[in-house]
């Protein structure tokens, strides 16, 4: 019985942490500049 209670508490804590992370992570805007650019001339070396 003790093992079952500990397992249920662990699952509850895990669910609580997942819910907090989901609510906290609002996403945001990806960067609008930077990234890959085409190389030419001396940049190729």
């Amino acid at each position: 019985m003790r093992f079952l209670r500990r397992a249920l508490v662990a699952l509850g804590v895990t669910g609580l942490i997942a819910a907090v992370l989901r609510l906290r992570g609002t996403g945001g805007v990806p960067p609008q500049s930077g990234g890959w650019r085409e190389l030419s001339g001396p940049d190729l070396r």
Side-chain angles (χ1 to χ4, degrees):
M1 195 63 173
R2 180 187 256 175
F3 175 75
L4 183 61
R5 191 177 302 143
R6 284 187 180 181
L8 289 175
V9 169
L11 285 175
V13 169
T14 303
L16 185 64
I17 291 173
V20 167
L21 289 177
R22 182 177 292 259
L23 290 175
R24 201 169 148 247
T26 57
V29 180
Q32 301 297 318
S33 64
W36 293 93
R37 65 181 179 91
E38 183 115 13
L39 295 178
S40 62
D43 291 335
L44 291 173
R45 294 185 196 154

